[in-house]
Amino acid sequence: MSDASQSNDALLRERAAKVVPGGMWGHLNATNLPKGYPQFFAKGEGAWLWDVNGRRYVDFMCAWGPNLLGYRHPEVDAAAARQNAKGDCLNGPGEAMVELAEALVDTIAAADWTQFMKNGTDATTSCVTFARAATGKRKILVARGAYHGAVPWCSPSLVGVTSEDRAHIVVYEFNDAESLAAAVAVAGDDLAAILVSAFRHDFGKDQELPSRAFAQLARQLCDAKGAALIIDEVRTGLRLDLSGSWEQFGVRPDLSAWSKAIANGYSLAAVTGADWLREAASKVFVTGSFWFGAVAMAAGIETLKIARRDDIVEHMDRLGRKLREGLNDRALKAGLQVRQTGPVQMPVMLFDDDPDCSKGNLFCSTALEAGVFFHPKHTMFLCAAHTDADIEAALQAAERGFAAVANQFQDA
Ligand SMILES: Cc1ncc(COP(=O)(O)O)c(C=O)c1O
């Protein structure tokens, strides 16, 4: 029976539990989050988010990445609405597909062509298939613990997965040259691709940028073996460098997977590739009923235009630095040791001596009560709509979070 005094979130959870397996599935299940986190959301605007109980948060999850320019960005939404007025899902793509493909090829240094789909998993899976089709080989090298999506070849869970699904996956350690070379040796003459995240962003771990030497080795090994270097940019795309996250190392991939931020929250993913994979990509049969929807593509064109016009990477970098420095100062003042890792616009903050994340959870629950949505273990995201005032609000909430942790754990 529903209790009228229950919150809207609790009532929705109760209803969902009856008609949705587990009430909610996957990584968005709020039962995986610290105490007090809402499951259901009512709206977003800019860098702010409202839950169904009417509470407003300064948001540092950005819809887990897609919110790049701000929720309900007026220019992106206007472009999407203009397209929607003409039609979205038709018998085939519209002009928007060609225009967006041109814009991506123009923006992304390693891209000679692009194909579209809907989710990041579609893109990483297509990259793997294109690499196998182009090389005629089977083995795919994947870094231990890396997330590339939620289908049997790459899901972090083995529930419902058979050993055959993973038969040709060979594991290496991220940023470890010896381990990568050993995995290439294991693949022998059957190496189709090395798949690598733009940086290591495994759940609950310190994040790690690749060394230039590791990035260059991955390129050299692929060249030597005639294999494809695939960079998974699903999480990183358009936040580190619009032209590609490994441009800073002088390393260009053969294939890249994109999604999340590329249409500012509209459902879109893309593979970009080098010329030598073009023919194979044209022969592989991949498609989806909604893959050619023109609304998301119109949103993607506008997102890219704004990202190039407004120097959003510089903005997120500046505010990310301010957040990182502010968090460090406040943690130190509270007598706590934290580790902040990854690029400043995609931070993770973990507490020292916190094996079960109880400090991180308490910090986040307290900050949430003070109106700021952090995550204790996952990559967080800044967006172009965050302001200096949002960072100040975040730091005030963080101060309360650190005080709560210091109170509970300092003398423990
Ligand atoms: C690096 C990376 N690759 C692939 C995916 C899968 O994307 P999607 O959830 O859109 O299928 C994700 C999603 O979080 C991701 O972070």
Side-chain angles (χ1 to χ4, degrees):
M1 282 283 288
S2 309
D3 169 357
S5 67
Q6 274 187 293
S7 72
N8 292 332
D9 192 76
L11 290 171
L12 283 171
R13 286 186 199 220
E14 196 176 298
R15 283 168 56 195
K18 293 180 187 142
V19 289
V20 175
M24 179 59 196
W25 65 100
H27 67 299
L28 298 183
N29 189 332
T31 59
N32 299 326
L33 283 163
K35 193 167 141 270
Y37 273 68
Q39 177 70 78
F40 294 97
F41 296 90
K43 64 172 183 169
E45 190 172 330
W48 298 339
L49 191 66
W50 282 258
D51 67 20
V52 290
N53 292 335
R55 298 208 50 173
R56 193 190 86 172
Y57 309 99
V58 179
D59 179 26
F60 288 95
M61 282 311 284
C62 291
W64 301 69
N67 179 23
L68 177 73
L69 303 175
Y71 292 115
R72 293 172 52 215
H73 189 278
E75 289 166 276
V76 177
D77 282 7
R82 280 194 300 276
Q83 180 59 52
N84 202 31
K86 295 187 271 183
D88 181 17
C89 189
L90 305 171
N91 283 9
E95 186 179 346
M97 187 185 86
V98 182
E99 197 182 324
L100 180 57
E102 286 167 347
L104 282 171
V105 167
D106 201 35
T107 306
I108 295 159
D112 294 320
W113 54 265
T114 180
Q115 263 193 27
F116 298 104
M117 46 286 296
K118 279 293 165 194
N119 285 287
T121 309
D122 301 332
T124 53
T125 304
S126 286
C127 284
V128 165
T129 312
F130 295 163
R132 285 178 170 150
T135 59
K137 313 274 174 73
R138 295 176 297 178
K139 303 286 184 216
I140 307 292
L141 272 45
V142 178
R144 188 184 312 283
Y147 185 66
H148 296 296
V151 283
W153 73 265
C154 59
S155 166
S157 158
L158 290 177
V159 179
V161 172
T162 67
S163 52
E164 287 83 357
D165 291 320
R166 309 248 169 138
H168 298 292
I169 301 295
V170 180
V171 173
Y172 66 90
E173 305 295 333
F174 187 86
N175 233 357
D176 180 333
E178 227 171 271
S179 158
L180 184 63
V184 168
V186 168
D189 289 336
D190 204 14
L191 181 67
I194 296 175
L195 170 59
V196 62
S197 310
F199 68 88
R200 193 174 83 154
H201 42 51
D202 306 355
F203 187 72
K205 303 242 174 74
D206 292 317
Q207 302 191 115
E208 187 179 334
L209 299 174
S211 68
R212 176 180 291 269
F214 178 79
Q216 289 176 344
L217 176 69
R219 180 67 275 167
Q220 284 156 14
L221 290 170
C222 284
D223 290 343
K225 289 284 190 175
L229 176 62
I230 306 172
I231 301 190
D232 182 347
E233 292 263 25
V234 170
R235 198 175 303 183
T236 47
L238 307 191
R239 274 200 164 80
L240 306 187
D241 179 339
L242 299 188
S243 59
S245 297
W246 280 22
E247 279 299 296
Q248 59 178 312
F249 306 123
V251 171
R252 296 212 167 139
D254 301 298
L255 292 163
S256 303
W258 310 85
S259 187
K260 289 196 183 282
I262 63 168
N264 202 48
Y266 288 82
S267 165
L268 190 68
V271 170
T272 54
D275 261 331
W276 71 272
L277 289 123
R278 189 190 288 263
E279 197 190 336
S282 74
K283 288 188 177 146
V284 171
F285 184 77
V286 274
T287 187
S289 297
F290 298 102
W291 283 16
F292 308 98
V295 168
M297 292 183 182
I301 294 166
E302 200 65 23
T303 301
L304 218 48
K305 198 190 297 173
I306 295 165
R308 291 169 72 159
R309 182 192 71 196
D310 292 352
D311 205 355
I312 59 163
V313 174
E314 198 279 326
H315 177 85
M316 291 184 286
D317 185 79
R318 184 179 70 76
L319 290 186
R321 260 171 228 289
K322 187 168 177 172
L323 179 66
R324 182 160 296 185
E325 284 160 18
L327 288 172
N328 254 340
D329 284 352
R330 281 156 183 83
L332 281 176
K333 278 191 191 124
L336 295 162
Q337 297 291 334
V338 293
R339 306 185 306 279
Q340 297 192 71
T341 55
V344 290
Q345 58 274 54
M346 298 180 66
V348 160
M349 186 181 81
L350 300 174
F351 285 79
D352 278 1
D353 305 318
D354 192 25
D356 61 357
C357 201
S358 45
K359 291 180 186 172
N361 287 346
L362 177 60
F363 171 83
C364 284
S365 290
T366 311
L368 188 85
E369 260 176 46
V372 175
F373 200 109
F374 289 132
H375 196 293
K377 289 181 173 176
H378 191 277
T379 317
M380 294 183 278
F381 301 88
L382 272 81
C383 72
H386 278 115
T387 62
D388 286 284
D390 292 329
I391 302 299
E392 290 303 332
L395 293 176
Q396 278 178 25
E399 213 164 290
R400 289 165 65 171
F402 287 132
V405 175
N407 258 342
Q408 189 158 322
F409 291 89
Q410 211 109 45
D411 303 320

